Amino acid sequence: MISKTFCPLPFNHIYIHPTNRAAVCCNFRSREGLPKIQEYDKLEDHLYHPFMVDIQQKMLAGEKVEGCATCYFAEEHGYESMREKEIDQWSGTHAMGMSAADLEKPKLNFVEITFGNYCNLACRSCGSDLSHSWIEENPKLQEAQLPSNRTMKRLNIEREWEDDDFKDLEYLKVTGGEPMLHPDWFKFNSKFDPTNIKMFIFTNASWVPKKRHLDLLNKFKSCQIFLSIDGTGSVQEYMRHNSKWDITDKSARAWMNFMKENKNIQLSWAPTWSLMNANYFIETCNWWLDTINEILGARADDCGTVKTNFLYGPYEYQIGNLPEANRLEIKNDVQDYIDNLPMQYGLDEIEVMGESFIQYIENDKDVDPKQIETFYGVTEFLNKSRNQSTEEMMPKTYKAMYIDTIL
């Protein structure tokens, strides 16, 4: 670590937003200051843009960067930030074996891309910039004077990829939307040789992978597949609108069997913890542990888990907006849960996630009455628009926010 503000990403990485705009990373709080990727002759020019050079110099000098607020928030709340994860990932000692960032002559060996905003789901914590399934609700949200994204159309990445764009590529991270269902998914992957690249990809697990998807991912040097599953049953269906739990469970099992059959494949669980599903932590962890043990057996210990993925925005969904008594109840229940977990494969990952979860709850106490008011407004609007019921589908969350809270 060069300084307390240092992050390797400005020295080796580009995040390509669905709007085609280059960005520092997916967590950076501003998308201003950088051009669209079509303006780069070579994709590597991104690292030498004046906006990036300014960030690089500030980090090396130990100065805070305004757009890095999400990582500073994580560190202030006592859990590992994306910045700290990347330092570990690119230190040269991490198990993934990535090259250390060259601070003097940056090379673009890490590309992160979101394939437009095509997505078959309309998750509560998302918006139309990352899911076209949100577009029809946006004007109605604006009319109701509720927070909404202003993207009103389908977005697609538009660049004539050059051979030099991927000449130093070691690590490819693909997020969504739902990337593997995007029309350009297979076309994009034909632009480089995957055999020397380590793939890192997210899926909402709302569909069951077909052979052609599995065959493509199996060509990569290694492939880590992250399942964005935030609950079970109606909890998942409520939070990730348009998903069906029976299909999600079937999809997860298919991905687990894919890992079981291929040594270069690692499956990881990537839940996002928020006000909506914090009360369902134990049930969701039990589903994950039971399923990986059933299918993978001893190899379940090779599965990964995103241990510190706590929602930062939209702010109305932050765990800190839950009533204090409910947060204390959750904290005590989770502590008892991880203290008494029976011996099984994959246990260590869940214990560490539980400890991080407890630490986060202890530190996230900044209740904002305006955000709570926004929560009620958005929740009631979406319930009506989507024909959903918080009381029926998320009874624990309903009790915390509508019964135990004085409205």
Side-chain angles (χ1 to χ4, degrees), residues 150-166:
R150 298 194 177 276
T151 302
M152 297 296 184
K153 62 180 181 179
R154 278 281 303 273
L155 302 174
N156 287 292
I157 299 300
E158 298 173 0
R159 178 178 171 85
E160 292 297 325
W161 302 104
E162 304 290 340
D163 291 342
D164 280 351
D165 286 343
F166 306 110

Side-chain angles (χ1 to χ4, degrees), residues 60-116:
L60 293 175
E63 299 175 26
K64 281 193 172 183
V65 176
E66 185 177 353
C68 298
T70 302
C71 283
Y72 301 150
F73 176 86
E75 291 160 21
E76 289 165 3
H77 284 72
Y79 66 94
E80 189 180 33
S81 68
M82 182 174 170
R83 182 185 77 87
E84 292 171 321
K85 293 174 186 175
E86 294 300 335
I87 289 171
D88 181 36
Q89 185 88 311
W90 293 89
S91 65
T93 60
H94 190 274
M96 289 292 287
M98 301 300 171
S99 299
D102 189 329
L103 307 185
E104 296 182 359
K105 296 179 180 180
K107 291 182 179 180
L108 191 62
N109 47 24
F110 182 4
V111 171
E112 179 176 359
I113 184 170
T114 299
F115 271 97

Side-chain angles (χ1 to χ4, degrees), residues 165-211:
D165 286 343
F166 306 110
K167 63 183 176 63
D168 296 314
L169 186 62
E170 294 183 40
Y171 189 25
L172 177 63
K173 180 178 178 181
V174 184
T175 59
E178 179 51 43
M180 287 181 278
L181 296 183
H182 192 282
D184 291 338
W185 168 244
F186 290 98
K187 179 181 176 182
F188 172 75
N189 280 276
S190 69
K191 299 299 180 179
F192 49 79
D193 178 4
T195 57
N196 292 316
I197 297 171
K198 298 177 181 180
M199 167 67 92
F200 181 100
I201 188 166
F202 283 78
T203 175
N204 60 30
S206 65
W207 54 285
V208 179
K210 296 182 179 179
K211 184 177 183 297

Side-chain angles (χ1 to χ4, degrees), residues 118-129:
Y118 178 84
C119 188
N120 56 330
L121 302 187
C123 303
R124 290 260 169 167
S125 59
C126 195
S128 59
D129 60 334

